Amino acid sequence: MLKKTLIIVALVAIAAAGAVGFNRWSRLASQRANYEALEADRARQRELAPAAPTSGATSAGPDEVRPTDLGRTDVGRTLSGPPDKETIAPTRGYWPDFRGPNRDGRYDETPIRTDWPSGGLMPIWKQPVGAGYASFVVADGRAFTIEQRRRQEFVAAYDVATGRELWTNGWDAEFTETLGGDGPRATPTYHEGRIYALGAEGELRSLDASTGSLVWRRNILADARASNLQWGMAAAPLVVDDTVVVLPGGSTGRSVAAYDKATGRPGWTALDDQQAYTSPMLVTIGGVRQLLIVSATRAFGLTVDGSRLLWEHPWVTQIGINVAQPLLLGNDRVFLSAGYGHGAAVIQLERAGDVFKVGTVWQNTRMKNKFTSSVLRDGYIYGLDEAILACIDAATGELKWKGGRYGYGQILLAGEHIVALSDEGDLALVKALPERFEEVATFRAIEGMSWNHPVIAGGILLVRNLQQMAAFDLRPK
């Protein structure tokens, strides 16, 4: 009997291993097809606009590495020639950060078109893109993202009007993960003509936003002597005054780290937290400017120079999978959410001298943001409770409604509407009303698993996933 049981267990294990192997083979075959389509598309673009001479880096300091030291794939490639049509130019640097100017998923620049046709919006352009879960930042008519192309990570700049690739800057790196998928996760940051990009394995680069040439580079995991997270580095770099703040998660006081934004020289480091998959935010609470961070086990406020912990609140989720961005509610409250059965909470922060007292206003399981983040409008919070859109009262946590299955997609707030990108690539327009769920329109925008955050800048909606990217005109007619 024991022998028979062991044989059955062995057969089950072999079958499971075979299934995993087949899934991996299938995914690799799909990736190869995607990369071939991407390379063919970019070759066609280069034929229309031949590559200009490679640009060099700006002067580097003693702690920096010049692009010529790193091999030719690390140098930006710029495409010459005017765009095919008049460039759509969003306000300079309006969407410079992950999830927008304040990292809160809110678009306030202009009104958007809400009379979407029944057949869906026609894309301005649609084309292949490399793998990865990063979103875009937009400035000066250009959209910047980071993507996986075979065995390299690439930061790429695209013309918003045409989708034309303007430059790339790449390096050898290949982050793979069976459940979460492959490629870089962290959205780049734009600031004063520079792009700050972080790869899934810790490569941090400052690039000239005009040319893609390397200004400086570091590896934040190496500097912090930290191991990578299971699903890779995902926190978007945050520019604070003269520094770039990142979250390597190192011990012995290296969990949060700042670098000089001009030179890349290491600055201050702080704390010992294992980090998670949220991005740091610059906020003002109780009149105190501070860094708002959610690590694997807690939410906390840190002085902008990293010298002092201002407050902390336990926030422990299954194996440290905190992904959702916190929301600042007024001057003294913070909304937190997580999936895996955890739920949501609003905490209140009361200033007490140089620190803050923390109290819980409410906590429940009505809003479980798993891979997504919520948005706030007029005292109500809208977000994906696991895979279903929901609305709750920010003051009480009361559920107002739940409806609209968008999977583990992403949302942003634009005026009186929510723009949702489902995890299957469907775009939906939903009225942001606390009284009821009301979907205005929906259509398939891109194909494939879509966990990347949508972006609007200058009235142009940009979406991407692991294999496609597209632009849609949301400017009112």
Side-chain angles (χ1 to χ4, degrees):
M1 183 67 182
L2 178 60
K3 183 177 180 181
K4 184 177 181 180
T5 301
L6 291 174
I7 290 173
I8 292 172
V9 170
L11 290 173
V12 170
I14 291 170
V20 170
F22 175 79
N23 289 338
R24 178 63 178 166
W25 175 86
S26 178
R27 190 170 69 178
L28 289 174
S30 175
Q31 285 178 346
R32 281 195 296 270
N34 293 340
Y35 291 144
E36 288 169 1
L38 169 65
E39 289 157 1
D41 179 82
R42 300 307 186 265
R44 179 188 60 80
Q45 291 187 17
R46 287 193 293 273
E47 289 177 0
L48 296 174
T54 299
S55 56
T58 59
S59 59
D63 291 335
E64 288 68 64
V65 181
R66 298 176 185 274
T68 50
D69 297 329
L70 299 169
R72 62 183 178 85
T73 59
D74 295 285
V75 183
R77 185 187 72 241
T78 305
L79 298 183
S80 63
D84 293 336
K85 57 185 177 179
E86 182 181 355
T87 297
I88 299 165
T91 302
R92 180 177 179 85
Y94 172 76
W95 199 277
D97 271 297
F98 174 55
R99 300 187 73 234
N102 299 308
R103 299 196 169 195
D104 59 0
R106 189 182 188 100
Y107 175 74
D108 292 323
E109 185 183 14
T110 62
I112 68 164
R113 177 184 180 184
T114 59
D115 59 335
W116 293 13
S118 58
L121 298 166
M122 289 296 294
I124 303 170
W125 50 260
K126 183 188 290 189
Q127 64 191 27
V129 70
Y133 296 111
S135 180
F136 296 98
V137 290
V138 183
D140 298 332
R142 296 181 173 197
F144 306 90
T145 191
I146 183 171
E147 54 198 78
Q148 190 74 38
R149 300 186 183 182
R150 298 193 186 272
R151 297 185 178 276
Q152 293 184 314
E153 293 178 334
F154 277 89
V155 182
Y158 297 96
D159 180 71
V160 172
T162 65
R164 178 174 295 170
E165 182 182 280
L166 301 173
W167 57 254
T168 61
N169 186 293
W171 58 90
D172 292 341
E174 186 180 19
F175 181 83
T176 60
E177 207 288 320
T178 302
L179 296 177
D182 303 339
R185 277 90 163 111
T187 299
T189 298
Y190 172 90
H191 182 74
E192 296 180 349
R194 295 285 183 266
I195 294 295
Y196 299 92
L198 178 66
E201 296 181 335
E203 179 79 5
L204 175 65
R205 294 198 170 198
S206 171
L207 307 173
D208 186 299
S210 297
T211 66
S213 60
L214 180 68
V215 180
W216 54 261
R217 64 167 291 268
R218 307 289 306 191
N219 188 289
I220 68 171
L221 292 175
D223 287 346
R225 301 172 193 169
S227 299
N228 203 353
L229 297 177
Q230 182 174 352
W231 288 284
M233 291 284 97
L238 176 67
V239 176
V240 180
D241 301 328
D242 294 328
T243 65
V244 180
V245 177
V246 291
L247 306 178
S251 58
T252 63
R254 297 186 179 93
S255 179
V256 185
Y259 294 87
D260 186 288
K261 71 178 184 182
T263 67
R265 288 188 176 89
W268 56 262
T269 62
L271 306 179
D272 303 311
D273 292 62
Q274 176 187 329
Q275 289 298 344
Y277 305 94
T278 66
S279 297
M281 297 173 66
L282 180 62
V283 300
T284 299
I285 298 175
V288 179
R289 193 164 168 258
Q290 57 192 271
L291 302 176
L292 172 56
I293 297 171
V294 180
S295 72
T297 58
R298 60 177 177 168
F300 58 87
L302 184 67
T303 56
V304 294
D305 62 358
S307 64
R308 193 169 72 257
L309 185 69
L310 297 169
W311 59 269
E312 62 177 320
H313 179 77
W315 196 247
V316 180
T317 305
Q318 179 180 322
I319 58 174
I321 309 178
N322 285 322
V323 179
Q325 290 296 117
L327 275 176
L328 188 62
L329 310 180
N331 183 51
D332 60 356
R333 290 186 175 187
V334 175
F335 168 79
L336 303 169
S337 184
Y340 301 93
H342 191 163
V346 167
I347 58 174
Q348 182 147 1
L349 304 166
E350 179 183 350
R351 190 171 177 180
D354 292 335
V355 295
F356 289 80
K357 294 179 181 178
V358 185
T360 300
V361 178
W362 59 261
Q363 184 164 352
N364 60 37
T365 57
R366 294 298 192 182
M367 184 66 75
K368 300 177 290 296
N369 294 159
K370 189 173 182 179
F371 302 145
T372 185
S373 299
S374 292
V375 295
L376 174 71
R377 181 174 185 268
D378 294 342
Y380 294 93
I381 294 169
Y382 301 85
L384 288 167
D385 178 28
E386 289 290 341
I388 304 174
L389 190 64
C391 172
I392 60 173
D393 189 319
T396 65
E398 176 191 0
L399 178 67
K400 306 304 292 183
W401 53 258
K402 190 172 181 179
R405 294 181 177 274
Y406 302 114
Y408 297 110
Q410 306 293 350
I411 68 170
L412 61 80
L413 179 70
E416 299 176 351
H417 290 78
I418 293 165
V419 176
L421 178 66
S422 82
D423 61 2
E424 294 182 345
D426 295 324
L427 272 173
L429 185 67
V430 179
K431 289 185 178 180
L433 299 171
E435 297 86 9
R436 64 188 181 277
F437 168 73
E438 186 174 336
E439 185 182 79
V440 177
T442 184
F443 69 96
R444 178 59 53 90
I446 49 179
E447 300 294 333
M449 186 172 69
S450 304
W451 289 353
N452 310 60
H453 287 261
V455 167
I456 307 177
I460 305 304
L461 170 65
L462 298 169
V463 294
R464 65 157 292 194
N465 57 21
L466 298 171
Q467 62 192 55
Q468 288 185 336
M469 58 189 289
F472 299 88
D473 192 349
L474 293 190
R475 294 172 296 181
K477 299 300 183 184

